[in-house]
Amino acid sequence: MQIGIIGLPYVGKTTLFNALTGAEAEIGLYSAKRTANIAAVKVPDDRLYLLGERVFRSGKITPITIEYLDFVGIKEGSVRSGELDRSLLASLRNVDGIVHVVRAFKDESVPHVEGSIDPGRDIEIVDLELTFADLQVVENRLSSLAKELRVKRDPDLEHERDLLERCQRSLESGEALREIELSPEEERAIRGFQFLTRKPMLILLNVGEDQMEEAEELLDSIRRFSERPGRAAIALCAELEMEISQLEEDAEEFLKEMGLEGSALQRMVRASYELMDLITFFTGGDKETRAWTAPKGITAHRAAGMIHSDMERGFIRAEVINWRELLECGSFTKAREEGKLRIEGKEYIVQDGDVLHIRFNV
Ligand SMILES: Nc1nc2c(ncn2[C@@H]2O[C@H](COP(=O)(O)OP(=O)(O)OP(=O)(O)O)[C@@H](O)[C@H]2O)c(=O)[nH]1
Ligand SMILES: [Mg+2]
């Protein structure tokens, strides 16, 4: 999974990136950079480690990895004027989700491109640039469709045109494509365009250390932007989190003292999973204990396919147990004996925290 970190210049994107990934990318280098910083992180998940160490005792424990991409700042007009590198825009189109860093921290020594601190305004600026990028894609496709349709009638292409015209109207009125309701077929039809304003967006309000007490109020002030389809917001102090993540030891102690629930990465992942409707399930054996990410509502049959195509093809049944129950039983054998293991068919909807054991035959 790839998550893109975007926002105006100097809002703390790279600081956040460092906090999340433990990287030490240079801070405050606007304009010099033409590529995004990129780093993969293993998502810490206590459930996985408990299962690996106490239940499966497997040599290998494989967490979920997320790739974070830290982009250069997007300024007002930088997409419209083409100043933002095309290849950067292309890699942004590839991400599964966007984190928009918005500055709330006050610091005279850090300039603000707009000259003042105003999170709502900044959100609108970046939204507008993304909207513009999508509009360009829609218009290009519409004009080539018009040419094709002049030559011959084609119901599929006409459908696509109608759908894109809907998207165009929405974008032209300044509305993100997240806002329009699409049928699963329509969703599939536009997936290939990788629209930026259709991607789930987590707004990350970067607050100063001195503002942590008022974080809730600050979040309230941007509710009208964050409480929209496909959007959510959290507040975090990127600078402090970066310092914590660079502590060699005692990071956990420190987080507790600050009243923070888990590392920045853990909080971000939690918020992103919720926003993106994702769940985690587990598999385990002597060799490997592993965490998997799947869309909410996934069936046991499809989940089996994620693990191995043979398991999907030869699916017989799934043995399922919640991770905590399994931990209490101590082993799959024990859980089976105690009748705690549930036998489920193809259509079973996998739940967050399930441990799956797929029986299959090919
Ligand atoms: N006071 C304060 N300063 C911060 C905070 N987060 C970032 N900064 C400072 O803001 C400046 C810019 O931080 P970066 O992380 O480089 O910001 P950026 O968004 O990556 O900037 P560009 O990549 O140049 O667009 C640096 O001087 C940081 O130290 C914060 O929470 N509080
Ligand atoms: Mg940066």
Side-chain angles (χ1 to χ4, degrees):
M1 179 162 59
Q2 278 197 335
I3 304 282
I5 302 172
I6 64 165
L8 292 182
Y10 303 132
V11 292
K13 300 181 294 298
T14 305
T15 308
L16 174 75
F17 172 79
N18 286 348
L20 295 174
T21 65
E24 292 183 11
E26 259 184 290
I27 292 184
L29 281 177
Y30 184 74
S31 77
K33 300 242 350 168
R34 279 270 158 261
T35 54
N37 291 313
I38 177 162
V41 289
K42 297 184 163 64
V43 177
D45 189 329
D46 293 342
R47 302 172 295 181
L48 175 70
Y49 293 97
L50 287 168
L51 289 172
E53 282 160 16
R54 304 218 186 132
V55 176
F56 296 110
R57 299 170 211 280
S58 47
K60 199 170 157 201
I61 295 180
T62 312
I64 289 160
T65 55
I66 297 183
E67 237 173 18
Y68 283 100
L69 279 78
D70 165 34
F71 286 87
V72 297
I74 295 175
K75 278 184 287 192
E76 174 155 34
S78 67
V79 174
R80 263 171 294 177
S81 65
E83 186 195 325
L84 191 76
D85 206 73
R86 274 182 172 280
S87 67
L88 274 180
L89 209 52
S91 42
L92 185 57
R93 289 214 170 89
N94 251 323
V95 304
D96 303 290
I98 290 177
V99 172
H100 178 187
V101 181
V102 180
R103 174 171 169 179
F105 71 85
K106 299 188 179 97
D107 186 338
E108 296 288 329
S109 70
V110 181
H112 192 298
V113 277
E114 295 292 323
S116 62
I117 312 290
D118 184 345
R121 174 203 58 206
D122 294 356
I123 293 171
E124 283 185 308
I125 290 176
V126 171
D127 278 350
L128 196 64
E129 294 304 313
L130 301 185
T131 303
F132 187 79
D134 284 351
L135 197 54
Q136 262 178 342
V137 173
V138 169
E139 283 169 354
N140 286 343
R141 180 62 188 150
L142 278 175
S143 83
S144 68
L145 276 175
K147 277 186 210 130
E148 286 180 59
L149 285 170
R150 232 173 281 141
V151 182
K152 63 170 184 347
R153 284 203 56 186
D154 179 328
D156 284 345
L157 294 185
E158 280 166 4
H159 262 126
E160 188 185 342
R161 180 199 56 203
D162 296 346
L163 179 57
L164 286 176
E165 279 175 353
R166 247 177 87 198
C167 293
Q168 185 181 32
R169 281 194 296 277
S170 158
L171 291 164
E172 275 174 348
S173 68
E175 194 181 67
L177 294 177
R178 283 177 220 100
E179 305 272 336
I180 60 176
E181 261 185 69
L182 298 176
S183 67
E185 296 79 54
E186 290 171 329
E187 182 79 58
R188 262 194 298 280
I190 64 159
R191 193 169 296 158
F193 296 111
Q194 302 180 297
F195 289 126
L196 300 175
T197 66
R198 184 97 186 144
K199 294 185 191 296
M201 180 191 273
L202 182 67
I203 297 172
L204 188 136
L205 201 59
N206 187 9
V207 299
E209 220 180 308
D210 54 336
Q211 291 171 309
M212 286 174 62
E213 305 270 294
E214 26 165 342
E216 279 309 312
E217 287 151 56
L218 289 167
L219 281 173
D220 275 340
S221 72
I222 56 162
R223 291 257 179 256
R224 72 189 174 95
F225 301 106
S226 61
E227 289 184 348
R228 307 290 324 168
R231 290 242 258 210
I234 58 171
L236 193 144
C237 176
E239 201 171 47
L240 177 69
E241 299 289 351
M242 184 175 82
E243 284 161 16
I244 298 175
S245 76
Q246 287 167 350
L247 290 177
E248 296 285 323
E249 47 208 284
D250 301 332
E252 256 174 64
E253 273 300 293
F254 197 79
L255 287 168
K256 253 190 225 140
E257 258 170 53
M258 300 289 302
L260 297 170
E261 280 172 49
S263 63
L265 177 62
Q266 283 167 314
R267 273 171 284 144
M268 280 260 314
V269 169
R270 229 176 284 146
S272 311
Y273 270 48
E274 206 171 299
L275 171 65
M276 295 165 80
D277 277 333
L278 298 172
I279 60 156
T280 302
F281 71 89
F282 306 97
T283 54
D286 319 332
K287 289 209 191 78
E288 188 187 26
T289 308
R290 184 163 174 174
W292 304 81
T293 300
K296 204 178 267 177
I298 192 174
T299 61
H301 192 218
R302 290 268 303 111
M306 286 178 66
I307 306 167
H308 200 290
S309 54
D310 283 351
M311 288 191 181
E312 185 168 12
R313 213 151 36 89
F315 187 99
I316 300 170
R317 60 179 183 268
E319 295 174 331
V320 186
I321 183 168
N322 171 265
W323 75 276
R324 195 183 292 276
E325 272 188 282
L326 180 58
L327 191 67
E328 281 161 11
C329 292
S331 74
F332 249 81
T333 319
K334 203 72 187 299
R336 199 175 287 125
E337 281 168 14
E338 290 178 17
K340 296 251 171 77
L341 218 53
R342 282 174 286 129
I343 308 296
E344 304 282 2
K346 280 186 180 173
E347 298 310 318
Y348 170 70
I349 303 293
V350 180
Q351 303 296 309
D352 187 63
D354 275 353
V355 184
L356 296 189
H357 185 242
I358 308 292
R359 295 275 173 189
F360 69 108
N361 186 10
V362 282

